[in-house]
């Protein structure tokens, strides 16, 4: 019994274990992870019977259709906006591979297959494609046997830079060679980030440089930029702006065109174009992204702008339509070199949707090209989902309910797909395929033991090689294309070469023509922009003249640039140059100072010689003064003649005749010396003027002193009767002699030690050089005239006291009056002299000289001459002499006869108490 029981328990356990085991197995199978979302890629594949496959990525559509938000499952987006140009590029790759397979000289025993995907110009599709290349369509394990099962050698693509960047980040992990044909973004040269990326198109580094050189060539300084919202636009504009800055040119505005249509963002870019004063605008945008912006520009009717085109849209049929010409005509830009591809045209024409019902791209091509719907097609004719998104009216496309017959004629089609006149990027596609083929060819020709790989100089073999082994050959690739162009890929995976500079013009058929007007060459050492000499340019300006794009016009000569704070250097104010400064050329930053002898003219654009100022003979003032001085001298001469003629009359002979003559002589010198102050100062005239003046003063004043001392003594006699006073005429002459000698001594010392010299006075007036005499030593000058002042000071009190001498003639009074005049003139001279400048200073001095001379002449000699000539009766001894009565007797004592020289005896007054 016990045995049966045990058997039952064991049997149950076995069942349980078995049951559990089965359950567990089922559970593990169910728990395996699988991708829910499926990739949805369109393209062309031909991998069967080929040992090697080349991948390709092309923008056959322009965008993806936004996902329906109600579906939660992740689904790969569908694409829309058929791009004929991308389709042509894609077909070119197939054509090239077919060509290589037919050739016996490259890869003789190996045929190449292809697997090409449409990226729809979106990053997400590029990622899908990159993963499909590396994995299998629904597997996330890389196996280098791609979905076709063939060995993947490398990839050609992708079109836009952002797509290449994303694909390369994935493909680069495996070091899988990727050859770009259109992605020009400069970051792709960075081999740390993109180790396996190479390209047959030049980096934008050169294009940005070329744009700046073009801008400089046409003299524009104020340029706006518009970039696509991707790596291409942003990096391109970044380098462009850096180069503009180092060329001292300015960016008026920098705007971005949104990738996904946004009314607000688009409006911002359009407003910037509309409101800016910049007439020249750089557009760093791929043609696909540019189309909506072009429509906006047309919609807002913005003309009179010159657009600088990047290589991505300069020859694009999407933009270069006759209806856009009024807005975009005259655009100037850079295009990659063009070449003819033999046999391509025929290959492109060999397209028909009837050949393969699964060839969805060809069906869509046919539908879009002929505006019809292919029967039984799962693809509806072109719908633009953006309409719903933006709420804008359907300005782009319309639906068609017409069915395609298949009989449509491609020859009737005017379509960019079939246009082989501008094979530029298309040619790059061909070269990209060829570079992979040439590298494979070299790899296949590797000879054992002389191979490149270490250790052991081994070779790699098709199809069993590692991607890095092919990269080895790619990195040092050099070949000549079918059109004779040399392609050399450098260590950054870049190529050098040239750009064609194209200008949009209208041809005779009313179509947009891309006219070559120059070339920009860039090699290792040469970066050169050459414009064709005889090329006619079309400019989209009102006058059809070269547009003018500046923030502020160049400052005229005579002004300089003044910085406006917070604004670019191209916007400035024009500030007139300061006095004495000029700017000769237009647009000068600074005004230059004129040389010492020069001053700025009224316009401030030229330095002119400063006016030299001095009191000239031929000007009214100088002339008047000369006349006055000569007239004065003549008057003195007349007085002398009268004195000589009447020398024996009592009036003349009274009170020292010689002194009178000396006074007359000194007055003549004084009057004539004033002429030394007039005219251009020379060394001799500077030396002579002060000395002559001082000497004549001292002579004059010492003579007057001699005279007045006699009067003073006479007066003293008249007052005190007790003294014996005697004054000999000789003493008077000695006084004169001593004072003149002292003056001569001082003058000689002055002239020897520190003589006056001609001096150009530039300080007192900016616009004039005042030619004047620098008096040298002020000490000597003061002592020289100090003597004169001293003499004058001595004269004055003596005459003042003697003025009371009673006589008929009152010579004392006259001299007193003369001295008063003299003092008044010279005292008032000081402030007048100090407050004038230039030639008027000299004039004031001459006035003082003349006035004081006339004063003395008038006061001392005029009354005497009056009596001599007009009242001869009064010129008798009796009348000339007055009487001084003393207590006991009277003596004949008059001012005029104090020193009568009739008997040439000393006048002596003996007065006894
Ligand atoms: N140069 C562009 C980039 O780097 C790509 C490009 C060139 C392009 N030509 C084009 C894209 C024409 C679309 C259409 O992104």
């Amino acid at each position: 019994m016990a045995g049966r029981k045990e058997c039952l328990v064991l049997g149950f356990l076995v069942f349980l274990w078995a049951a559990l085991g089965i359950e567990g197995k089922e559970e593990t199978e169910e728990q395996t992870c699988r991708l829910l979302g499926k990739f949805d890629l369109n393209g062309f594949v031909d991998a069967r019977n080929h040992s090697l496959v080349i991948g390709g990525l092309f923008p056959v559509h322009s965008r993806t259709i936004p996902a329906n938000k109600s579906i939660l499952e992740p689904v790969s987006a569908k694409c829309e906006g058929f791009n004929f140009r991308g389709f042509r590029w894609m077909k070119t790759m197939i054509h090239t591979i077919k060509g290589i397979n037919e050739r016996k000289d490259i890869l003789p025993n190996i045929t190449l297959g292809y697997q090409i995907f449409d990226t729809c110009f979106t990053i997400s599709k590029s990622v899908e494609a990159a993963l499909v290349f590396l994995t299998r369509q629904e597997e996330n394990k890389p196996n280098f046997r791609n979905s076709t099962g063939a060995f993947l050698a490398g990839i050609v693509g992708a079109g836009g830079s952002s797509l290449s960047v994303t694909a390369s980040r994935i493909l680069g992990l495996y070091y899988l060679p990727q050859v770009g044909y259109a992605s020009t973004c400069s970051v792709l040269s960075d081999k740390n980030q993109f180790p396996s990326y190479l390209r047959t198109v030049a980096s934008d580094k050169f294009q940005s440089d070329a744009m700046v050189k073009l801008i400089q060539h046409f003299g524009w300084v104020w340029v706006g930029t518009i970039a696509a919202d991707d790596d291409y636009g942003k990096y391109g504009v970044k380098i462009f702006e850096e180069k503009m800055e180092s060329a001292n040119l300015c960016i008026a505005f920098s705007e971005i065109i949104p990738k996904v249509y946004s009314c607000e963002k688009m409006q911002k870019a359009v407003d910037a174009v509309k409101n800016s004063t910049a007439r020249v605008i750089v557009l760093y945008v791929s043609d696909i992204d540019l189309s909506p912006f072009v429509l906006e520009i047309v919609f807002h009717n913005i003309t009179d702008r010159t657009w600088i085109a990047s290589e991505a849209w300069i020859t694009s049929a999407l933009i270069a339509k006759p209806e856009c010409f009024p807005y975009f005509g005259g655009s100037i830009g850079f295009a990659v070199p063009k070449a003819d591809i033999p046999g391509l045209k025929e290959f492109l024409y060999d397209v028909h949707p009837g050949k393969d019902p699964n060839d969805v791209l060809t069906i869509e091509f046919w539908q879009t090209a002929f505006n019809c719907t292919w029967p039984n097609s799962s693809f509806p004719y072109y719908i633009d989902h953006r309409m719903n998104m933006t709420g804008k009216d359907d300005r782009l496309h319309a639906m068609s309910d017409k069915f395609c017959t298949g009989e449509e004629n491609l020859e009737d089609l005017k379509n960019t797909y079939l246009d082989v006149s501008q094979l530029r990027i298309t040619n790059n596609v061909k070269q990209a395929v060829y570079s992979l083929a040439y590298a494979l060819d070299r790899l296949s020709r590797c000879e054992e033991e002389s191979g490149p790989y270490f250790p052991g100089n081994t070779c790699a073999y098709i199809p069993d090689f590692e991607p890095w082994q092919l990269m080895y050959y790619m990195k040092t690739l050099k070949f000549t294309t079918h059109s004779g162009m040399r392609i050399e890929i450098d260590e950054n995976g870049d190529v050098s070469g040239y750009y064609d500079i194209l200008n949009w013009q209208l041809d005779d058929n009313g179509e947009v023509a891309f006219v070559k007007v120059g070339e920009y060459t860039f090699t290792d050492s040469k970066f050169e922009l050459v414009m064709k000499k005889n090329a006619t340019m079309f400019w989209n300006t009102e006058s059809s003249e070269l547009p003018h794009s500046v923030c502020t016009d160049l400052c005229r000569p005579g002004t300089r640039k003044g910085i406006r704070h917070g604004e670019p250097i191209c916007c400035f104010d024009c500030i007139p140059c300061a006095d004495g400064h000029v700017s000769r050329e237009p647009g000068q930053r600074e005004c230059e100072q004129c040389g010492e002898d020069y001053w700025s003219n009224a316009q401030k654009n030229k330095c002119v010689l400063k006016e030299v100022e001095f009191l000239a003979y031929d000007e009214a003032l100088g002339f008047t003064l000369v006349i006055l001085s000569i007239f004065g001298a003549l008057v003195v001469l007349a007085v002398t003649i009268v004195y000589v003629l009447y020398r024996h009359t009592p009036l003349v002979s009274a009170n020292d005749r010689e002194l009178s003559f000396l006074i007359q002589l000194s007055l003549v010198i004084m009057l004539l010396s004033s002429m030394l102050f007039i005219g251009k100062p020379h060394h001799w005239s500077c030396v002579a003027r002060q000395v002559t003046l001082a000497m004549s003063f001292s002579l004059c004043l010492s003579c007057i002193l001699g005279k007045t001392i006699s009067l003073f003594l006479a007066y003293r006699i008249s007052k005190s009767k007790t003294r014996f006073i005697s004054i000999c005429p000789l003493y008077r002459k000695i006084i004169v002699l001593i004072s003149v000698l002292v003056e001569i001594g001082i003058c000689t010392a002055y002239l020897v030690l520190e003589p006056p010299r001609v001096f150009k006075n530039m300080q007192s007036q900016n616009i004039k050089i005042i030619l004047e005499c620098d008096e040298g030593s002020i000490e000597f000058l003061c002592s020289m005239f100090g003597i004169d002042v001293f003499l004058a000071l001595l004269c004055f009190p003596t005459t003042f006291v003697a003025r009371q001498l009673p006589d008929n003639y009152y010579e004392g009074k006259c001299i007193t009056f003369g001295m008063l005049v003299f003092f008044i003139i010279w005292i008032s001279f000081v402030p007048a002299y100090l407050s004038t400048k230039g030639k008027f200073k000299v004039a004031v001095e001459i006035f003082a000289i003349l006035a004081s001379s006339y004063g003395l002449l008038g006061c001392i000699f005029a009354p005497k001459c009056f009596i001599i000539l007009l009242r001869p009766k009064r010129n008798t001894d009796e009348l000339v002499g007055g009487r001084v009565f003393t207590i006991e007797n009277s003596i004949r004592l008059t001012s005029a006869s104090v020193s009568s020289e009739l008997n040439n005896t000393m006048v002596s007054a003996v007065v006894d108490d």
Side-chain angles (χ1 to χ4, degrees):
M1 244 338 254
R4 268 187 83 195
K5 239 184 186 175
E6 275 177 352
C7 238
L8 266 174
V9 170
L10 201 71
F12 176 72
L13 278 176
V14 166
F15 170 79
L16 203 71
W17 175 76
L20 275 176
I22 289 161
E23 229 177 73
K25 236 185 197 169
E26 266 174 22
E27 219 173 80
T28 39
E29 226 156 64
E30 284 242 314
Q31 278 172 356
T32 307
C33 292
R34 274 194 290 117
L35 281 169
L36 267 176
K38 296 222 165 88
F39 294 158
D40 181 9
L41 292 162
N42 288 317
F44 293 99
V45 183
D46 175 17
R48 224 172 288 154
N49 304 328
H50 299 294
S51 36
L52 287 175
V53 158
I54 296 179
L57 297 172
F58 294 91
V60 182
H61 285 88
S62 312
R63 55 192 174 272
T64 48
I65 301 171
N68 190 340
K69 289 199 182 92
S70 61
I71 302 171
L72 288 171
E73 208 182 315
V75 262
S76 180
K78 294 256 180 265
C79 302
E80 67 176 10
F82 195 83
N83 176 20
F84 291 102
R85 199 177 176 192
F87 192 55
R88 183 194 335 131
W89 297 345
M90 191 185 242
K91 285 278 188 178
T92 307
M93 176 167 171
I94 298 170
H95 174 249
T96 312
I97 287 179
K98 287 201 166 138
I100 292 169
N101 286 344
E102 278 163 20
R103 277 173 72 157
K104 296 278 167 299
D105 53 337
I106 317 176
L107 295 169
N109 303 320
I110 299 152
T111 56
L112 297 174
Y114 53 84
Q115 184 180 27
I116 305 173
F117 292 126
D118 171 17
T119 58
C120 301
F121 207 55
T122 50
I123 291 176
S124 61
K125 285 277 168 192
S126 310
V127 174
E128 284 183 23
L131 290 176
V132 170
F133 284 134
L134 293 175
T135 66
R136 288 174 69 186
Q137 203 128 353
E138 280 164 298
E139 279 186 19
N140 61 353
K141 281 183 270 165
N143 60 1
F144 301 116
R145 297 265 180 279
N146 69 354
S147 54
T148 62
F151 192 90
L152 184 74
I155 278 147
V156 170
S161 290
S162 295
L163 317 186
S164 289
V165 165
T166 356
S168 183
R169 291 215 190 272
I170 299 166
L171 302 172
L173 294 174
Y174 303 97
Y175 220 50
L176 193 73
Q178 180 187 357
V179 190
Y181 53 86
S183 307
T184 49
C185 179
S186 54
V187 280
L188 285 164
S189 303
D190 181 353
K191 288 297 123 250
N192 290 323
Q193 293 193 61
F194 310 100
S196 63
Y197 187 83
L198 312 135
R199 53 185 158 187
T200 54
V201 66
S203 160
D204 281 337
K205 188 170 76 181
F206 303 113
Q207 186 169 201
S208 298
D209 188 52
M211 284 179 176
V212 174
K213 291 214 168 107
L214 186 83
I215 286 164
Q216 277 178 316
H217 175 88
F218 290 115
W220 301 318
V221 291
W222 185 234
V223 178
T225 65
I226 292 186
D229 192 6
D230 58 14
D231 292 309
Y232 173 59
K234 286 181 180 170
Y235 277 97
V237 163
K238 179 175 169 269
I239 299 178
F240 172 75
E241 289 184 355
E242 283 167 6
K243 305 235 171 201
M244 284 285 279
E245 201 182 314
S246 40
N248 281 332
L249 303 173
C250 307
I251 302 294
F253 60 86
S254 296
E255 289 301 331
I256 283 181
I257 298 181
K259 277 240 161 216
V260 178
Y261 192 91
S262 143
C263 191
E264 199 185 316
K265 287 181 188 167
M266 193 60 95
Q267 200 55 44
K268 194 167 165 264
V270 173
D271 285 345
V273 174
K274 225 197 241 172
N275 302 332
S276 173
T277 50
R279 300 283 109 175
V280 176
I281 300 153
V282 167
L283 267 181
Y284 240 115
V285 191
S286 298
D287 56 357
I288 294 172
D289 293 333
L290 188 59
S291 302
F293 179 75
V294 169
L295 290 175
E296 291 292 340
I297 294 292
V298 174
F299 186 72
H300 285 91
N301 196 17
I302 300 175
T303 53
D304 199 17
R305 300 291 189 285
T306 297
W307 304 91
I308 296 186
S310 65
E311 99 299 342
W313 69 271
I314 183 76
T315 54
S316 171
L318 280 181
I319 317 291
K321 297 177 191 155
E323 57 268 30
C324 296
F325 194 81
Y327 313 92
F328 283 83
S331 291
I332 182 162
F334 300 88
V336 301
K338 87 176 188 186
D340 282 333
I341 302 179
L344 181 69
K345 190 171 179 183
E346 294 71 34
F347 182 78
L348 293 179
Y349 270 91
D350 183 23
V351 62
H352 199 276
K355 281 190 186 169
D356 178 2
N358 297 322
D359 185 356
V360 287
L361 287 182
T362 308
I363 293 174
E364 200 183 343
F365 161 76
W366 203 266
Q367 293 188 137
T368 319
F370 293 108
N371 200 2
C372 56
T373 305
W374 188 253
N376 307 326
S377 156
S378 52
F379 286 83
Y381 173 70
Y382 198 73
I383 303 170
D384 189 346
H385 285 80
R386 292 177 305 170
M387 282 191 311
N388 315 339
M389 210 176 75
T390 61
K392 288 225 161 191
D393 60 329
D394 181 15
R395 278 186 275 154
L396 285 173
H397 306 283
M399 287 276 285
S400 167
D401 42 18
K402 190 177 82 185
F403 276 110
C404 308
T405 58
E407 298 298 309
E408 290 84 1
N409 192 357
L410 281 174
E411 303 282 345
D412 304 337
L413 208 60
K414 240 174 62 191
N415 184 298
T416 181
Y417 167 73
L418 296 166
D419 180 7
V420 288
S421 66
Q422 299 285 331
L423 300 181
R424 295 173 187 274
I425 301 283
T426 314
N427 182 44
N428 284 352
V429 172
K430 174 166 178 167
Q431 303 324 324
V433 177
Y434 260 98
S435 49
L436 278 169
Y438 277 120
L440 285 168
D441 184 54
R442 282 183 58 201
L443 182 141
S444 71
R445 289 172 203 271
C446 171
E447 280 180 22
E448 198 47 52
E449 279 172 31
S450 56
Y453 312 113
F454 290 108
N457 290 3
T458 50
C459 284
Y461 300 99
I462 291 176
D464 236 357
F465 60 88
E466 299 284 333
W468 60 265
Q469 289 177 317
L470 182 61
M471 263 314 279
Y472 168 82
Y473 290 99
M474 297 288 302
K475 273 183 186 165
T476 52
L477 203 63
K478 289 185 180 61
F479 63 95
T480 310
T481 69
H482 68 282
S483 58
M485 211 176 132
R486 191 85 191 128
I487 290 193
E488 290 182 16
I489 292 179
D490 67 14
E491 69 276 12
N492 294 327
D494 283 329
V495 285
S496 47
Y498 65 92
Y499 290 110
D500 284 341
I501 302 174
L502 305 182
N503 178 227
W504 282 22
Q505 307 189 1
L506 263 196
D507 68 9
D508 301 337
N509 307 326
E511 295 291 325
V512 180
F514 312 117
V515 179
K516 181 166 171 176
V517 291
E519 216 171 83
Y520 178 78
T521 320
F522 49 96
T523 57
D524 291 343
S525 53
K526 197 170 93 178
F527 304 93
E528 197 183 29
L529 181 103
V530 184
M531 299 301 285
K532 272 193 193 169
K533 289 227 168 59
N534 45 6
T536 42
M537 302 283 293
F538 176 83
W539 297 116
N540 195 11
T541 50
E542 264 169 41
S543 56
S544 297
E545 295 286 310
L546 177 75
H548 190 59
S549 195
V550 292
C551 180
T552 325
D553 269 319
L554 274 191
C555 288
R556 292 178 294 104
T559 57
R560 65 170 177 87
K561 286 183 184 176
I563 298 166
R564 280 192 205 156
H565 282 287
E567 287 190 40
I569 54 161
C570 303
C571 308
F572 41 78
D573 295 314
C574 294
I575 300 169
C577 290
D579 288 336
H581 292 70
V582 293
S583 65
R584 292 166 230 266
E585 305 296 325
Q588 249 176 256
R589 279 197 164 210
E590 299 294 341
C591 299
E592 305 153 24
Q593 194 170 5
C594 290
E596 217 184 24
D597 292 355
Y598 293 85
W599 195 249
S600 49
N601 61 354
Q603 294 81 36
K604 305 279 170 59
N605 57 3
K606 228 198 270 168
C607 285
V608 285
L609 262 180
K610 279 184 183 173
E611 198 184 310
V612 178
E613 191 187 71
F614 56 85
L615 187 62
Y617 287 108
D618 50 6
E619 62 182 286
L621 185 60
F623 188 71
T624 318
L625 292 173
V626 169
I627 298 287
L628 281 178
S629 75
I630 292 176
F631 178 73
L634 289 177
V635 171
V636 178
L637 218 68
V639 170
T640 313
I641 292 169
V642 170
Y643 263 53
V644 171
L645 291 179
Y646 293 87
R647 64 187 173 281
H648 301 301
T649 58
L651 201 60
V652 176
S653 52
N655 206 1
D656 215 330
R657 203 166 43 198
E658 280 83 22
L659 284 190
S660 295
F661 282 124
L662 276 179
I663 292 175
Q664 284 157 20
L665 174 70
S666 67
L667 281 179
V668 171
I669 300 174
M670 219 188 276
L671 283 161
L672 292 182
S673 79
S674 64
M675 277 166 46
L676 288 172
F677 289 81
I678 307 173
K680 188 175 181 183
H682 294 284
H683 180 67
W684 63 266
S685 64
C686 281
V687 168
R689 54 168 77 158
Q690 302 295 0
V691 172
T692 332
L693 186 67
M695 296 284 290
S696 57
F697 266 149
S698 70
L699 182 62
C700 178
L701 290 169
S702 58
C703 291
I704 292 174
L705 183 68
K707 278 195 169 212
T708 53
I709 282 182
S710 306
L711 290 178
F712 178 69
L713 288 179
Y715 175 74
R716 293 289 300 179
I717 293 164
S718 73
K719 286 275 166 187
S720 65
K721 294 157 271 178
T722 53
R723 282 212 215 129
F724 171 83
I725 305 164
S726 139
I727 183 152
C728 172
L730 192 68
Y731 290 147
R732 282 176 268 169
K733 292 187 175 101
I734 286 174
I735 291 175
V736 174
L737 195 68
I738 290 174
S739 29
V740 171
L741 280 179
V742 171
E743 192 69 304
I744 288 178
I746 295 175
C747 285
T748 322
Y750 174 38
L751 294 188
V752 170
L753 297 177
E754 261 177 281
R757 55 193 169 77
V758 184
F759 170 63
K760 285 183 181 175
N761 183 348
M762 306 205 186
Q763 274 77 47
S764 71
Q765 280 192 49
N766 285 329
I767 47 168
K768 286 177 187 166
I769 301 178
I770 300 170
L771 261 194
E772 56 186 24
C773 290
D774 175 11
E775 306 307 350
S777 155
I778 196 77
E779 291 83 4
F780 273 120
L781 198 75
C782 285
S783 25
M784 220 163 66
F785 284 101
I787 301 282
D788 299 334
V789 172
F790 176 69
L791 288 174
L793 286 177
L794 274 182
C795 282
F796 188 65
T798 39
T799 51
F800 186 73
V801 173
R803 81 187 188 286
Q804 290 171 343
L805 265 182
D807 59 15
N808 290 334
Y809 166 61
Y810 307 121
E811 184 170 35
K813 278 185 187 138
C814 288
I815 296 181
T816 312
F817 196 63
M819 290 312 292
L820 261 179
V821 169
F822 187 84
F823 272 118
I824 289 166
I825 288 169
W826 285 104
I827 288 172
S828 54
F829 160 76
V830 177
Y833 184 78
L834 293 179
S835 58
T836 43
K837 267 187 190 167
K839 60 181 179 187
F840 297 104
K841 211 171 180 133
V842 183
V844 164
E845 203 172 347
I846 299 171
F847 263 121
I849 296 168
L850 292 180
S852 57
S853 310
Y854 275 105
L856 289 177
L857 182 68
C859 291
I860 299 175
F861 296 108
K864 281 192 175 183
C865 287
F866 176 75
I867 292 173
I868 293 168
L869 297 173
L870 300 175
R871 299 282 187 273
K873 283 188 193 147
R874 286 174 62 187
N875 195 358
T876 59
D877 268 350
E878 284 71 36
L879 285 172
V880 167
R883 289 204 175 271
V884 177
F885 292 97
T886 60
I887 300 164
E888 281 160 33
N889 48 8
S890 66
I891 55 164
R892 225 179 97 226
L893 188 70
T894 71
S895 61
S897 61
V898 168
S899 141
S900 165
E901 282 173 71
L902 272 176
N903 44 13
N904 205 15
T905 53
M906 159 183 91
V907 170
S908 52
V910 183
V911 184
D912 295 319
D913 277 315

